[in-house]
Amino acid sequence: MKKEKCYICEKGFLENKKVDFSLYGTNLGKFDAQVCSVCGEKFFDEKASDEIDDKAKEKGLWGLEADTKVTKTGSSMAVTISKKIGDFMCLEKGKRVHLRPENKNRLVVEIV
């Protein structure tokens, strides 16, 4: 049987393995994947993807991402955080955060 080449680097070959999968810093477990022998890229089939989705939903991690708009409050700018993200990050009114631009398109918010 001929080994399948990696779709990303096109140099390595894909090997079947059980690999850890994490979402938002939470390990969801080990899942079947094809892993490139050179670049390490992981490819999950539909069954494994469904299992990952189910585990993410079970742990309350499903749908945490959200779009929001920048608003103005007085002379400052404000960004709202959804309740679901706030709960996940244990945020509450008055909690301090540190903001820093990583580049012109990415703002990092760290809880202090």
Side-chain angles (χ1 to χ4, degrees), residues 23-24 60-66 82-88:
L23 184 62
Y24 308 126
L61 301 174
W62 186 255
L64 277 182
E65 294 182 22
S82 72
K83 179 174 180 352
K84 194 169 185 178
I85 292 173
D87 289 347
F88 172 74

Side-chain angles (χ1 to χ4, degrees), residues 55-109:
K55 191 57 95 165
K57 289 174 185 174
E58 178 185 308
K59 292 189 177 251
L61 301 174
W62 186 255
L64 277 182
E65 294 182 22
D67 290 331
T68 189
K69 291 183 179 180
V70 176
T71 61
K72 190 166 177 145
T73 176
S75 62
S76 297
M77 303 278 209
V79 175
T80 58
I81 297 172
S82 72
K83 179 174 180 352
K84 194 169 185 178
I85 292 173
D87 289 347
F88 172 74
M89 300 190 74
C90 301
L91 294 176
E92 54 190 38
K93 185 178 178 180
K95 189 127 187 187
R96 295 194 50 83
V97 296
H98 177 78
L99 306 175
R100 68 176 166 79
E102 189 169 282
N103 58 45
K104 293 250 184 203
N105 295 314
R106 184 177 299 267
L107 177 65
V108 178
V109 180

